[in-house]
Amino acid sequence: MSIEREELDGFEVAYSVQVDNSRMLELLVDEIETGDCFWQITNSCGQILDSSDRYEDQAHCLRDGLNKSLA
């Protein structure tokens, strides 16, 4: 289950990586309040193709996002 769009207030892109010619993996972090994060995969138009639930650990979030985007 992914995070609802209205829950994204305060989240900012902390890291992004080009997966291939048409996809980008982004790590979004709530740096102001909780430090929680989630990953999302977007296409070249910025549409979200897939996203995760919240993580408390940024390293695990990034690892899982990379694994998902390369699967």
Side-chain angles (χ1 to χ4, degrees), residues 1 4 7 15 17 20 31-33 35 37 45-47 51-52 54-56 62 67-68:
M1 190 53 111
E4 297 296 322
E7 295 179 32
Y15 182 80
V17 62
D20 55 29
E31 294 182 4
I32 295 174
E33 293 190 22
C37 58
C45 297
Q47 294 173 314
S51 63
S52 71
R54 287 185 186 221
Y55 285 76
E56 293 180 358
L62 181 58
N67 285 337
K68 178 72 173 190

Side-chain angles (χ1 to χ4, degrees), residues 11 28-31 33-38 54-56 58:
F11 282 83
L28 291 96
V29 179
D30 181 2
E31 294 182 4
E33 293 190 22
T34 63
D36 288 352
C37 58
F38 72 96
R54 287 185 186 221
Y55 285 76
E56 293 180 358
Q58 291 180 23

